[in-house]
């Protein structure tokens, strides 16, 4: 069991080319981020969000995580990018090893939760009655969380 370092999910790559994901900041799909313990098995072969080994907290975190605020889509110097605003969970007590970004609105609203990317925190990260923040990279062609060149 492991979380693979910052993997783009293979199913997402195929779905992206089939036009199943919309990253427009206005009217696009809704993407969530859910956090997982070190017991989770997440990587490039992950296809959907599931609650197995998701973190739990008495307050401030619920199964499924939270919706991300999408920065939209931009192309510069031949590189297409999209990114998200930083995401905070407040008043939580939890330990997380990584996270899954997933699309909650793909496939015509059939209720699927298509995996997009796996984030590995590089070790367990903990918050105790505090704020747990996921800090995304800059919305630039060299740093954005999703880039196609």
């Amino acid at each position: 069991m492991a979380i693979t370092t910052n993997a783009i999910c293979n199913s997402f790559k195929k779905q992206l080319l089939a036009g199943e994901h919309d990253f427009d900041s206005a009217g696009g799909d809704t993407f969530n981020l859910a956090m997982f313990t070190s017991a989770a098995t997440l990587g490039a072969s992950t296809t959907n969000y599931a609650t197995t080994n998701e973190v739990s907290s008495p307050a401030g975190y619920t199964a499924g995580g939270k919706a991300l605020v999408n920065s939209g889509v931009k192309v510069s110097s031949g590189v297409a990018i999209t990114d998200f605003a930083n995401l905070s969970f407040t008043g939580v007590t939890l330990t997380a090893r990584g996270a899954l970004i997933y699309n909650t609105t793909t496939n015509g609203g059939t209720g699927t939760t298509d995996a997009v990317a796996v984030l590995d925190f590089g070790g367990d990260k903990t918050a105790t009655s505090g704020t747990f923040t996921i800090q995304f990279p800059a919305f630039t062609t060299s740093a954005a969380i999703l880039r196609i060149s």
Side-chain angles (χ1 to χ4, degrees):
M1 294 192 195
I3 296 176
T4 303
T5 302
N6 303 325
I8 301 299
C9 299
N10 292 329
S11 57
F12 168 73
K13 295 173 188 176
K14 180 180 177 188
Q15 292 162 352
L16 188 62
L17 293 177
E20 295 180 21
H21 296 274
D22 184 350
F23 286 93
D24 284 337
S25 59
D29 292 343
T30 299
F31 296 88
N32 277 19
L33 181 138
M35 293 191 291
F36 292 85
T37 69
S38 60
T41 301
L42 299 171
S45 63
T46 301
T47 58
N48 290 289
Y49 159 77
T51 60
T52 306
N53 295 310
E54 186 172 2
V55 301
S56 62
S57 177
Y61 184 90
T62 56
K66 277 187 171 179
L68 292 162
V69 176
N70 191 337
S71 299
V73 178
K74 177 172 117 177
V75 176
S76 179
S77 301
V79 180
I81 62 172
T82 192
D83 212 337
F84 302 100
N86 294 344
L87 182 66
S88 293
F89 298 87
T90 57
V92 295
T93 297
L94 59 80
T95 298
R97 170 59 197 239
L100 177 69
I101 296 171
Y102 65 98
N103 189 337
T104 66
T105 55
T106 51
N107 292 324
T110 60
T112 59
T113 51
D114 294 329
V116 173
V118 173
L119 307 178
D120 181 354
F121 299 157
D124 284 346
K125 305 297 179 190
T126 301
T128 304
S129 296
T131 300
F132 194 108
T133 300
I134 310 295
Q135 185 174 5
F136 283 92
F139 186 51
T140 66
T141 57
S142 61
I145 196 75
L146 293 172
R147 296 171 295 206
I148 300 173
S149 57

